[in-house]
Amino acid sequence: MKVVSLFSGIGGIDLGCDIHFIPEFVNLLHRLVNAGHEIILQVENNPHCIQVLKTNFPATAIVLDIVTLQSLPAETDIVVAGFPCQDLSTENYNRAGIEKGLRSSLVSHVFRLLRSKKAPWVIFENVPGLLNWHWNQTPPQQPGIAHIARELEQLGYRWAYRVVDLTSFGIPHSRARVFVVASIHGDPRDILLSQNIHCQGQCSNMFPGLCYTCSCQQPISDSDTVACVDLGEKRHPPYLNVLHCLTTANGRRTCIVRNMCNNNNDTKKVCTMLDVRDAERLFGFPEGWTESCYPIINPDKSAASKIDYKIQTQKRLSVLGNSCAVPIFFWIGQQLNEPYISKFLMASLGKPFVAECPGSRETSAWPRCAWNDSPQLFWKGRYGISGISSSPQLYPYIKLGKFLRYGDEIPNLITCKKFLVRLKKQGFELLDFVVNGMLGRYKPAIQEHLGSSSDVSDSDEPQYPFIIPDDNSSRSNPTNTSDEFEGEKIMFVSYSLHGDMSPKVLWPVVSVRTKATTISNGNSVIDSYTPITSEHHLALMGSDRILFSSKETECQEFFASYGRARSQSICSSQKENYILSIDQALAKFRAQNLDYFDIFEREVTPSFKKAQPCGRCKVCIKVNKRVCDAKRKSLQTSELRRQTHLMKEQQVTKELSRSLYDSCPLILSTRLAHQGHQGAAIALLQAGAIAKRVKILWSHDNEFFGGTITNFDPLSFTHSVVYDDADEHLELKMWREIIISM
């Protein structure tokens, strides 16, 4: 059949349906055939994705914007659309939904095209959040699936949807997605619901190994366990033997921790970042599929002589995070090739909808499987069923440790430590090999501070300064109120650049309370921790490797002195070195204090009281509404109770005004700007910051990236930034970021 691919991305759907594609897992199983469809048109506007499509589908026409596509080709048999998920994903706290979201609402153009030409088959793909209500809005917005079902029924399409997980195809990647199939003349239930597997152990008689379901029921063996760690995550512990769902953001911060028993003493491979080639294979792509996404090729300019492979890898991981899984669409393509062979036989078990849009706060989602084979009845023809699994077929499962082939980059030690601190605070227990691997301990070590179940080790290795005080120690020692790293602390110190006779300037240093200190490249300190003493060593940051001693009274706290340090005059011969030292200090300070900028002072000093709430953001609008409601209620009371209500109204107004000082982004930005926070100062410019050049620290990469501010949203008091590599960051809260003006 002829396929039109809308929102093509890097071609995951297209590759699964392409007649010329023979996927890697086909060769392993010797049981599948080509899906047998032809891609005749692709629609995509991301320049990085377009380069991937042109490289891998050179003969296919590409339209750059779905808005400009006036009609479908006359020979279209199938329309596929993996439309944007940002406004639907439950990972997005704001979840604007299809009705209000700027990106997910683009699905409306699919229905616009179908009104002019009804394709025989239509396929949608999106995240499971498509089934969830948007309770964060007032009134709550219906799930996105309600909008899609309603539009399909009005066009006369039968439809069915189902949640399918990539792990059921033997790939160790936990990626569940909702697939919607609709048809004018066929039965979409036969395509999507006719194959349903509930394995009860029969997989062991069908092929070597086990399926994913049976593999999860086996006891964990220390000899073959691999942990998948998202260094920015704190809501759940690392996944074992399976990769968490890759997104545009977490791919670059994903590391793999292997059990050291299986590494043949090759300690470099115990804990490594996820390799992009393995990430491609985890989606079902051939290795190197996304290599052409960066750099962007400009026909009017000569090609770059040198490629920044670090940026290229980050961009490749980013475009993969938005991709559709190839094996699932290969299966759907097979089903569509013979749409009348398999029949859905469980229709009698379906339960009719009792309302057009089911769900409540207790049961907030639609069923994981539903259909409507009588669109003329609209919602009264809808049925849901609970007996359909996320596994349409049975495949042997390959554990993550055996699936991965590559991995050389070692994650940042400080970032690993902070990740372990966050999980400890959340009460999660980790396996010993995960902790040891992330901390670079390749022999059993003492884990009592990490909550490990192992006994005390006899290891002679020096222990890293990774101390987490428990509740008892905090109560017994009232001075021990912080669980930050005491081994390394970023500070400012008054330092003479040219001897004692020259003026002193504030220079960033690493303050280490230690007796044995090794300095490497001026920004890495590995120490043997000793108790706090009256003096400590200071390692000067920058290109100069200088170590000296100083008393604590000579040092100044880094964040409080940052603004004054940036505004001081530095001689031209040392200016480049000073900027380097500031960048090093900011990166290390941010890595050690990931939660620092979420904590704001509660006290309002007289100078800060001059700042007034903006009156336009969500916080101000909500508070003003409550004040108006209180006044309206006061006017409705009787004359005898008017005075009492007036006093209560004044009290409510006072409390709400105080909450404005605690919550309004303008007030928060003003406080931090007074302390020298550059990001807060930029936030105060509001729309005046548009077109300014900035460098923003990405904490998980521990590196600054340059970009241009392109937009300001007064409702959320956030800015949008387009980075130099064409990546875009929406709704950026400048006062919570480490930023340097360019």
Side-chain angles (χ1 to χ4, degrees), residues 622-635:
K622 184 177 181 180
V623 171
N624 290 335
K625 182 177 182 300
R626 291 178 61 187
V627 171
C628 293
D629 291 343
K631 290 181 179 180
R632 190 182 305 109
K633 186 175 181 181
S634 176
L635 294 174

Side-chain angles (χ1 to χ4, degrees), residues 120-276:
W121 294 93
V122 183
I123 306 173
F124 295 96
E125 182 264 4
N126 216 287
V127 295
L130 182 72
L131 308 180
N132 287 27
W133 279 75
H134 297 262
W135 298 110
N136 59 325
Q137 301 181 19
T138 304
Q141 186 183 151
Q142 294 181 354
I145 189 64
H147 176 85
I148 292 176
R150 186 162 50 247
E151 290 284 353
L152 289 173
E153 289 163 354
Q154 291 175 356
L155 290 170
Y157 278 93
R158 301 180 181 91
W159 58 262
Y161 74 77
R162 175 185 189 176
V163 177
V164 180
D165 199 325
L166 182 56
T167 55
S168 64
F169 289 82
I171 308 295
H173 183 184
S174 179
R175 193 175 185 85
R177 289 295 183 265
V178 178
F179 295 87
V180 184
V181 176
S183 179
I184 289 292
H185 57 74
D187 191 341
R189 298 177 300 176
D190 296 340
I191 303 298
L192 206 57
L193 311 182
S194 60
Q195 297 181 348
N196 183 41
I197 296 295
H198 289 276
C199 185
Q200 302 295 326
Q202 65 268 30
C203 59
S204 60
N205 299 323
M206 298 174 61
F207 40 71
L210 302 173
C211 67
Y212 175 69
T213 302
C214 295
S215 177
C216 292
Q217 296 173 356
Q218 298 295 312
I220 296 177
S221 172
D222 290 339
S223 61
D224 61 0
T225 301
V226 170
C228 177
V229 179
D230 179 353
L231 294 174
E233 184 59 73
K234 65 179 180 180
R235 292 166 296 181
H236 56 74
Y239 284 33
L240 297 179
N241 297 323
V242 66
L243 182 77
H244 52 246
C245 182
L246 280 185
T247 66
T248 56
N250 67 11
R252 68 188 67 180
R253 64 186 191 223
T254 296
C255 70
I256 306 298
V257 185
R258 300 167 177 85
N259 195 316
M260 61 194 73
C261 298
N262 271 349
N263 285 278
N264 299 322
N265 298 322
D266 186 0
T267 56
K268 291 184 179 180
K269 295 185 178 180
V270 171
C271 182
T272 61
M273 301 303 293
L274 177 67
D275 192 281
V276 67

Side-chain angles (χ1 to χ4, degrees), residues 629-695:
D629 291 343
K631 290 181 179 180
R632 190 182 305 109
K633 186 175 181 181
S634 176
L635 294 174
Q636 293 175 353
T637 57
S638 62
E639 200 62 43
L640 295 177
R641 301 168 60 188
R642 182 73 54 84
Q643 187 174 0
T644 304
H645 277 277
L646 182 61
M647 295 176 62
K648 288 184 178 180
E649 177 194 335
Q650 293 174 349
Q651 182 180 359
V652 169
T653 304
K654 185 176 181 180
E655 291 177 354
L656 294 177
S657 299
R658 189 181 301 115
S659 69
L660 270 179
Y661 279 102
D662 290 337
S663 305
C664 177
L666 179 62
I667 301 297
L668 297 177
S669 299
T670 303
R671 295 180 190 174
L672 291 174
H674 275 268
Q675 298 173 14
H677 193 291
Q678 185 69 20
I682 293 175
L684 292 177
L685 295 177
Q686 301 183 40
I690 295 176
K692 284 188 175 295
R693 294 276 298 158
V694 292
K695 275 188 174 181

